[in-house]
Structure formats: structure tokens, C-alpha cells
Amino acid sequence: DAGVTQSPTHLIKTRGQHVTLRCSPISGHKSVSWYQQVLGQGPQFIFQYYEKEERGRGNFPDRFSARQFPNYSSELNVNALLLGDSALYLCASSRLAGGIHEQYFGPGTRLTVT
Amino acid sequence: SQELEQSPQSLIVQEGKNLTINCTSSKTLYGLYWYKQKYGEGLIFLMMLQKGGEEKSHEKITAKLDEKKQQSSLHITASQPSHAGIYLCGADWEKSSGDKLTFGTGTRLAVRP
């Protein structure tokens, strides 16, 4: 089975621009979460979607938005990019296995804002 | 997050040596997750602990949860170069069942051959 896939792998944008990151979960996984990982830090939770509904939102400004599609893939959108948005953006999908929601992470999208 | 502290921040060990990484939560844990990350890549799930006193093993890696201290320790026995990477603990404080985790800053492990 294919793992979680994310596109693009790398991206360079200029301050003020808009970016869309994409994620395809593992087949059969209905929950998708997004995390931001700044260099040298642990991942920070941004959003969680389940069955196309937002189930959780982290402490991020309204410039960040996301959605989930009927096929459970997801997009993360960031408007008015700032230098501080430069990070590795991780997507994770999850399933219930033995009573535990085990999250599987994608390889991430490396966003650089100049 | 300072609400979830990992120690040490980095570690260099000789191949074959044992090591321990700690993760301490300032809030009550519903679940504690351990992940490994190769530099700049996605996270790999290692194990998840829910109950106080619970201990789980995966190959040469063992993790325990001390409910009284709200602390988990990850122990690697006879370390190998393949163990090198960043070890991250993730806390589930909201019974989100693991979909919304707060991560520590990670422990960077290097293993010298």
C-alpha cells in the first residue's frame, strides 16, 4: 500500500504570496492532520479533518486554512506568506488499530519564504 | 512546547551502548506517543502508551509511562547506527486519540560506529 503522499516536496515563495500544499492519505484513512515543523523544533499541530469536517485547530492565524475532499485528500492553504512560515509542513493520516489511533506521516513539504 | 519537555536535547553514544530519553508533561496525559524522524523527513511511529506503568517494546527500543510523574522514558539497548535520528514524544491531552498531538522539541541522537 502507498503511504501518505504530499506535494510538492519543496517550494520557494516570496513574502505576501499564497501557497497550497496537498496531501493524500493512506487508502481507507478518513482522518488527516496537518503540522508545521520549524527547524530545530517539534511539529506543531495546525488542523485536523475527519470526514471532511474540521475537528481541531491549533494556535495559528486565520491566514492558515484547510479543507478535506470527498476522497479524503486534503489541502493546506497559507495566505500572505511571512518569512516565519518557512518550515516543513507535515500531513498525517490515521486509522484505529487495536484501540489506538496510529498516525502515519508523509515526507513533508519544505516551504521556504524569501 | 514547554508543556512537554524532552531531555536530553542531544546525545552522542558509542555503538553498543544503552541510552535513555525522557519526556515530561506538565498536564495530565491521555496518551503518550513516541516517533522517530530522520533529518528533514516524516515521522515514523514507534509506540504509544496510555496507562500508568505500561511498558512496550519494539525491537531494541522500550518505552515506559510513569503516571504519577506524567513522564515517559524511551530506552534503547545496544545502540546501532540505524538508531540515529530525532526522537520525538507527542502528548495527547484532549483524548483526541492521537490525531491532535503536542510534540516536544526532540532529542537528536547520533551513534558513533
Side-chain angles (χ1 to χ4, degrees), chain B residues 53-78:
Chain B
E54 189 172 19
E55 180 174 321
K56 289 187 178 176
S57 293
H58 173 71
E59 297 176 348
K60 292 186 177 179
I61 301 175
T62 301
K64 300 179 188 179
L65 181 62
D66 183 329
E67 199 170 31
K68 274 188 180 177
K69 293 181 182 177
Q70 293 298 302
Q71 182 180 76
S72 178
S73 59
L74 184 86
H75 184 78
I76 298 177
T77 304

PDB file of all heavy atoms in Angstrom, chain B residues 53-78:
ATOM      1  N   GLY B  53       2.384   2.832  34.237  1.00  0.00           N
ATOM      2  CA  GLY B  53       3.100   1.583  34.419  1.00  0.00           C
ATOM      3  C   GLY B  53       3.217   0.767  33.150  1.00  0.00           C
ATOM      4  O   GLY B  53       3.926  -0.255  33.120  1.00  0.00           O
ATOM      5  N   GLU B  54       2.555   1.232  32.098  1.00  0.00           N
ATOM      6  CA  GLU B  54       2.596   0.475  30.842  1.00  0.00           C
ATOM      7  C   GLU B  54       4.014   0.507  30.265  1.00  0.00           C
ATOM      8  O   GLU B  54       4.699   1.519  30.321  1.00  0.00           O
ATOM      9  CB  GLU B  54       1.606   1.073  29.846  1.00  0.00           C
ATOM     10  CG  GLU B  54       1.411   0.239  28.592  1.00  0.00           C
ATOM     11  CD  GLU B  54       0.280   0.771  27.723  1.00  0.00           C
ATOM     12  OE1 GLU B  54      -0.108   1.941  27.891  1.00  0.00           O
ATOM     13  OE2 GLU B  54      -0.213   0.007  26.883  1.00  0.00           O
ATOM     14  N   GLU B  55       4.397  -0.615  29.698  1.00  0.00           N
ATOM     15  CA  GLU B  55       5.713  -0.719  29.078  1.00  0.00           C
ATOM     16  C   GLU B  55       5.548  -1.453  27.754  1.00  0.00           C
ATOM     17  O   GLU B  55       4.883  -2.491  27.698  1.00  0.00           O
ATOM     18  CB  GLU B  55       6.671  -1.482  29.991  1.00  0.00           C
ATOM     19  CG  GLU B  55       8.077  -1.630  29.423  1.00  0.00           C
ATOM     20  CD  GLU B  55       9.032  -2.270  30.422  1.00  0.00           C
ATOM     21  OE1 GLU B  55       8.951  -1.963  31.619  1.00  0.00           O
ATOM     22  OE2 GLU B  55       9.864  -3.087  29.980  1.00  0.00           O
ATOM     23  N   LYS B  56       6.137  -0.877  26.698  1.00  0.00           N
ATOM     24  CA  LYS B  56       6.062  -1.529  25.384  1.00  0.00           C
ATOM     25  C   LYS B  56       7.447  -1.588  24.774  1.00  0.00           C
ATOM     26  O   LYS B  56       8.295  -0.735  25.055  1.00  0.00           O
ATOM     27  CB  LYS B  56       5.122  -0.746  24.456  1.00  0.00           C
ATOM     28  CG  LYS B  56       3.667  -0.873  24.834  1.00  0.00           C
ATOM     29  CD  LYS B  56       2.773  -0.230  23.804  1.00  0.00           C
ATOM     30  CE  LYS B  56       1.309  -0.408  24.190  1.00  0.00           C
ATOM     31  NZ  LYS B  56       0.402   0.280  23.259  1.00  0.00           N
ATOM     32  N   SER B  57       7.644  -2.607  23.951  1.00  0.00           N
ATOM     33  CA  SER B  57       8.936  -2.780  23.297  1.00  0.00           C
ATOM     34  C   SER B  57       8.760  -2.971  21.805  1.00  0.00           C
ATOM     35  O   SER B  57       7.772  -3.547  21.349  1.00  0.00           O
ATOM     36  CB  SER B  57       9.661  -4.000  23.870  1.00  0.00           C
ATOM     37  OG  SER B  57      10.018  -3.756  25.208  1.00  0.00           O
ATOM     38  N   HIS B  58       9.735  -2.461  21.078  1.00  0.00           N
ATOM     39  CA  HIS B  58       9.776  -2.645  19.628  1.00  0.00           C
ATOM     40  C   HIS B  58      11.233  -2.853  19.272  1.00  0.00           C
ATOM     41  O   HIS B  58      12.027  -1.919  19.342  1.00  0.00           O
ATOM     42  CB  HIS B  58       9.205  -1.428  18.914  1.00  0.00           C
ATOM     43  CG  HIS B  58       9.357  -1.480  17.428  1.00  0.00           C
ATOM     44  ND1 HIS B  58       8.628  -2.343  16.644  1.00  0.00           N
ATOM     45  CD2 HIS B  58      10.156  -0.798  16.593  1.00  0.00           C
ATOM     46  CE1 HIS B  58       8.976  -2.172  15.386  1.00  0.00           C
ATOM     47  NE2 HIS B  58       9.902  -1.231  15.322  1.00  0.00           N
ATOM     48  N   GLU B  59      11.575  -4.093  18.939  1.00  0.00           N
ATOM     49  CA  GLU B  59      12.963  -4.467  18.672  1.00  0.00           C
ATOM     50  C   GLU B  59      13.793  -4.086  19.900  1.00  0.00           C
ATOM     51  O   GLU B  59      13.533  -4.568  20.980  1.00  0.00           O
ATOM     52  CB  GLU B  59      13.432  -3.821  17.378  1.00  0.00           C
ATOM     53  CG  GLU B  59      12.621  -4.341  16.184  1.00  0.00           C
ATOM     54  CD  GLU B  59      12.952  -3.693  14.870  1.00  0.00           C
ATOM     55  OE1 GLU B  59      13.659  -2.673  14.861  1.00  0.00           O
ATOM     56  OE2 GLU B  59      12.503  -4.220  13.840  1.00  0.00           O
ATOM     57  N   LYS B  60      14.772  -3.230  19.783  1.00  0.00           N
ATOM     58  CA  LYS B  60      15.624  -2.924  20.937  1.00  0.00           C
ATOM     59  C   LYS B  60      15.211  -1.636  21.647  1.00  0.00           C
ATOM     60  O   LYS B  60      15.978  -1.084  22.425  1.00  0.00           O
ATOM     61  CB  LYS B  60      17.074  -2.818  20.474  1.00  0.00           C
ATOM     62  CG  LYS B  60      17.644  -4.158  20.020  1.00  0.00           C
ATOM     63  CD  LYS B  60      19.124  -4.050  19.713  1.00  0.00           C
ATOM     64  CE  LYS B  60      19.684  -5.412  19.326  1.00  0.00           C
ATOM     65  NZ  LYS B  60      21.119  -5.334  18.994  1.00  0.00           N
ATOM     66  N   ILE B  61      14.010  -1.168  21.366  1.00  0.00           N
ATOM     67  CA  ILE B  61      13.532   0.073  21.968  1.00  0.00           C
ATOM     68  C   ILE B  61      12.382  -0.238  22.926  1.00  0.00           C
ATOM     69  O   ILE B  61      11.426  -0.909  22.546  1.00  0.00           O
ATOM     70  CB  ILE B  61      13.064   1.063  20.885  1.00  0.00           C
ATOM     71  CG1 ILE B  61      14.206   1.373  19.921  1.00  0.00           C
ATOM     72  CG2 ILE B  61      12.544   2.348  21.534  1.00  0.00           C
ATOM     73  CD1 ILE B  61      13.811   2.256  18.755  1.00  0.00           C
ATOM     74  N   THR B  62      12.502   0.256  24.145  1.00  0.00           N
ATOM     75  CA  THR B  62      11.475   0.048  25.160  1.00  0.00           C
ATOM     76  C   THR B  62      11.021   1.394  25.693  1.00  0.00           C
ATOM     77  O   THR B  62      11.842   2.268  25.953  1.00  0.00           O
ATOM     78  CB  THR B  62      12.031  -0.786  26.335  1.00  0.00           C
ATOM     79  OG1 THR B  62      12.493  -2.039  25.836  1.00  0.00           O
ATOM     80  CG2 THR B  62      10.946  -1.039  27.383  1.00  0.00           C
ATOM     81  N   ALA B  63       9.718   1.558  25.869  1.00  0.00           N
ATOM     82  CA  ALA B  63       9.192   2.798  26.437  1.00  0.00           C
ATOM     83  C   ALA B  63       8.297   2.470  27.621  1.00  0.00           C
ATOM     84  O   ALA B  63       7.580   1.471  27.614  1.00  0.00           O
ATOM     85  CB  ALA B  63       8.422   3.598  25.391  1.00  0.00           C
ATOM     86  N   LYS B  64       8.356   3.349  28.633  1.00  0.00           N
ATOM     87  CA  LYS B  64       7.543   3.176  29.837  1.00  0.00           C
ATOM     88  C   LYS B  64       6.819   4.472  30.137  1.00  0.00           C
ATOM     89  O   LYS B  64       7.276   5.558  29.782  1.00  0.00           O
ATOM     90  CB  LYS B  64       8.422   2.849  31.045  1.00  0.00           C
ATOM     91  CG  LYS B  64       9.233   1.602  30.940  1.00  0.00           C
ATOM     92  CD  LYS B  64      10.090   1.421  32.210  1.00  0.00           C
ATOM     93  CE  LYS B  64      11.059   0.287  32.047  1.00  0.00           C
ATOM     94  NZ  LYS B  64      11.909   0.117  33.248  1.00  0.00           N
ATOM     95  N   LEU B  65       5.702   4.363  30.849  1.00  0.00           N
ATOM     96  CA  LEU B  65       4.956   5.545  31.259  1.00  0.00           C
ATOM     97  C   LEU B  65       4.796   5.537  32.773  1.00  0.00           C
ATOM     98  O   LEU B  65       4.281   4.568  33.338  1.00  0.00           O
ATOM     99  CB  LEU B  65       3.578   5.565  30.588  1.00  0.00           C
ATOM    100  CG  LEU B  65       2.688   6.769  30.907  1.00  0.00           C
ATOM    101  CD1 LEU B  65       3.332   8.069  30.437  1.00  0.00           C
ATOM    102  CD2 LEU B  65       1.311   6.608  30.275  1.00  0.00           C
ATOM    103  N   ASP B  66       5.237   6.611  33.409  1.00  0.00           N
ATOM    104  CA  ASP B  66       5.065   6.786  34.852  1.00  0.00           C
ATOM    105  C   ASP B  66       3.929   7.783  35.042  1.00  0.00           C
ATOM    106  O   ASP B  66       4.096   8.986  34.846  1.00  0.00           O
ATOM    107  CB  ASP B  66       6.368   7.300  35.479  1.00  0.00           C
ATOM    108  CG  ASP B  66       6.287   7.430  36.990  1.00  0.00           C
ATOM    109  OD1 ASP B  66       5.177   7.711  37.524  1.00  0.00           O
ATOM    110  OD2 ASP B  66       7.320   7.270  37.653  1.00  0.00           O
ATOM    111  N   GLU B  67       2.753   7.257  35.424  1.00  0.00           N
ATOM    112  CA  GLU B  67       1.561   8.103  35.507  1.00  0.00           C
ATOM    113  C   GLU B  67       1.681   9.152  36.611  1.00  0.00           C
ATOM    114  O   GLU B  67       1.235  10.286  36.459  1.00  0.00           O
ATOM    115  CB  GLU B  67       0.341   7.231  35.765  1.00  0.00           C
ATOM    116  CG  GLU B  67      -0.978   7.898  35.431  1.00  0.00           C
ATOM    117  CD  GLU B  67      -2.116   6.902  35.471  1.00  0.00           C
ATOM    118  OE1 GLU B  67      -2.052   5.943  36.254  1.00  0.00           O
ATOM    119  OE2 GLU B  67      -3.062   7.091  34.694  1.00  0.00           O
ATOM    120  N   LYS B  68       2.327   8.778  37.728  1.00  0.00           N
ATOM    121  CA  LYS B  68       2.463   9.721  38.849  1.00  0.00           C
ATOM    122  C   LYS B  68       3.278  10.928  38.440  1.00  0.00           C
ATOM    123  O   LYS B  68       2.941  12.065  38.771  1.00  0.00           O
ATOM    124  CB  LYS B  68       3.145   9.027  40.028  1.00  0.00           C
ATOM    125  CG  LYS B  68       2.198   8.265  40.933  1.00  0.00           C
ATOM    126  CD  LYS B  68       2.932   7.772  42.179  1.00  0.00           C
ATOM    127  CE  LYS B  68       1.974   7.022  43.068  1.00  0.00           C
ATOM    128  NZ  LYS B  68       2.664   6.469  44.256  1.00  0.00           N
ATOM    129  N   LYS B  69       4.343  10.691  37.722  1.00  0.00           N
ATOM    130  CA  LYS B  69       5.231  11.780  37.308  1.00  0.00           C
ATOM    131  C   LYS B  69       4.810  12.387  35.972  1.00  0.00           C
ATOM    132  O   LYS B  69       5.389  13.380  35.542  1.00  0.00           O
ATOM    133  CB  LYS B  69       6.659  11.274  37.181  1.00  0.00           C
ATOM    134  CG  LYS B  69       7.306  10.849  38.479  1.00  0.00           C
ATOM    135  CD  LYS B  69       8.751  10.393  38.224  1.00  0.00           C
ATOM    136  CE  LYS B  69       9.407   9.915  39.506  1.00  0.00           C
ATOM    137  NZ  LYS B  69      10.791   9.414  39.245  1.00  0.00           N
ATOM    138  N   GLN B  70       3.820  11.800  35.301  1.00  0.00           N
ATOM    139  CA  GLN B  70       3.433  12.205  33.945  1.00  0.00           C
ATOM    140  C   GLN B  70       4.680  12.253  33.058  1.00  0.00           C
ATOM    141  O   GLN B  70       4.933  13.232  32.329  1.00  0.00           O
ATOM    142  CB  GLN B  70       2.722  13.561  33.956  1.00  0.00           C
ATOM    143  CG  GLN B  70       1.368  13.539  34.644  1.00  0.00           C
ATOM    144  CD  GLN B  70       0.376  12.607  33.958  1.00  0.00           C
ATOM    145  OE1 GLN B  70       0.076  12.754  32.780  1.00  0.00           O
ATOM    146  NE2 GLN B  70      -0.137  11.633  34.703  1.00  0.00           N
ATOM    147  N   GLN B  71       5.420  11.182  33.128  1.00  0.00           N
ATOM    148  CA  GLN B  71       6.694  11.126  32.425  1.00  0.00           C
ATOM    149  C   GLN B  71       6.832   9.794  31.711  1.00  0.00           C
ATOM    150  O   GLN B  71       6.399   8.744  32.216  1.00  0.00           O
ATOM    151  CB  GLN B  71       7.829  11.276  33.441  1.00  0.00           C
ATOM    152  CG  GLN B  71       9.226  11.294  32.851  1.00  0.00           C
ATOM    153  CD  GLN B  71      10.266  11.453  33.958  1.00  0.00           C
ATOM    154  OE1 GLN B  71      10.556  10.510  34.691  1.00  0.00           O
ATOM    155  NE2 GLN B  71      10.832  12.641  34.072  1.00  0.00           N
ATOM    156  N   SER B  72       7.462   9.851  30.537  1.00  0.00           N
ATOM    157  CA  SER B  72       7.761   8.628  29.811  1.00  0.00           C
ATOM    158  C   SER B  72       9.253   8.573  29.531  1.00  0.00           C
ATOM    159  O   SER B  72       9.901   9.609  29.329  1.00  0.00           O
ATOM    160  CB  SER B  72       6.979   8.579  28.501  1.00  0.00           C
ATOM    161  OG  SER B  72       7.304   7.407  27.774  1.00  0.00           O
ATOM    162  N   SER B  73       9.791   7.379  29.516  1.00  0.00           N
ATOM    163  CA  SER B  73      11.185   7.198  29.159  1.00  0.00           C
ATOM    164  C   SER B  73      11.273   6.217  28.001  1.00  0.00           C
ATOM    165  O   SER B  73      10.503   5.253  27.915  1.00  0.00           O
ATOM    166  CB  SER B  73      11.991   6.681  30.357  1.00  0.00           C
ATOM    167  OG  SER B  73      11.455   5.456  30.803  1.00  0.00           O
ATOM    168  N   LEU B  74      12.216   6.504  27.111  1.00  0.00           N
ATOM    169  CA  LEU B  74      12.481   5.644  25.953  1.00  0.00           C
ATOM    170  C   LEU B  74      13.889   5.127  26.115  1.00  0.00           C
ATOM    171  O   LEU B  74      14.833   5.916  26.252  1.00  0.00           O
ATOM    172  CB  LEU B  74      12.356   6.444  24.652  1.00  0.00           C
ATOM    173  CG  LEU B  74      12.507   5.640  23.365  1.00  0.00           C
ATOM    174  CD1 LEU B  74      11.167   5.052  22.965  1.00  0.00           C
ATOM    175  CD2 LEU B  74      13.055   6.501  22.246  1.00  0.00           C
ATOM    176  N   HIS B  75      14.026   3.825  26.116  1.00  0.00           N
ATOM    177  CA  HIS B  75      15.327   3.218  26.356  1.00  0.00           C
ATOM    178  C   HIS B  75      15.739   2.400  25.140  1.00  0.00           C
ATOM    179  O   HIS B  75      14.958   1.581  24.651  1.00  0.00           O
ATOM    180  CB  HIS B  75      15.236   2.323  27.607  1.00  0.00           C
ATOM    181  CG  HIS B  75      16.549   1.725  27.989  1.00  0.00           C
ATOM    182  ND1 HIS B  75      17.521   2.429  28.654  1.00  0.00           N
ATOM    183  CD2 HIS B  75      17.039   0.480  27.796  1.00  0.00           C
ATOM    184  CE1 HIS B  75      18.566   1.642  28.860  1.00  0.00           C
ATOM    185  NE2 HIS B  75      18.297   0.464  28.358  1.00  0.00           N
ATOM    186  N   ILE B  76      16.956   2.640  24.675  1.00  0.00           N
ATOM    187  CA  ILE B  76      17.497   1.863  23.557  1.00  0.00           C
ATOM    188  C   ILE B  76      18.643   1.008  24.081  1.00  0.00           C
ATOM    189  O   ILE B  76      19.585   1.527  24.712  1.00  0.00           O
ATOM    190  CB  ILE B  76      17.986   2.778  22.410  1.00  0.00           C
ATOM    191  CG1 ILE B  76      16.812   3.592  21.854  1.00  0.00           C
ATOM    192  CG2 ILE B  76      18.632   1.945  21.305  1.00  0.00           C
ATOM    193  CD1 ILE B  76      17.195   4.577  20.757  1.00  0.00           C
ATOM    194  N   THR B  77      18.550  -0.261  23.830  1.00  0.00           N
ATOM    195  CA  THR B  77      19.570  -1.214  24.283  1.00  0.00           C
ATOM    196  C   THR B  77      20.516  -1.527  23.128  1.00  0.00           C
ATOM    197  O   THR B  77      20.075  -1.738  22.000  1.00  0.00           O
ATOM    198  CB  THR B  77      18.896  -2.519  24.753  1.00  0.00           C
ATOM    199  OG1 THR B  77      17.937  -2.209  25.763  1.00  0.00           O
ATOM    200  CG2 THR B  77      19.916  -3.497  25.296  1.00  0.00           C
ATOM    201  N   ALA B  78      21.800  -1.537  23.433  1.00  0.00           N
ATOM    202  CA  ALA B  78      22.824  -1.885  22.430  1.00  0.00           C
ATOM    203  C   ALA B  78      22.617  -1.077  21.149  1.00  0.00           C
ATOM    204  O   ALA B  78      22.303  -1.633  20.094  1.00  0.00           O
ATOM    205  CB  ALA B  78      22.800  -3.383  22.150  1.00  0.00           C
TER     206      ALA B  78
END
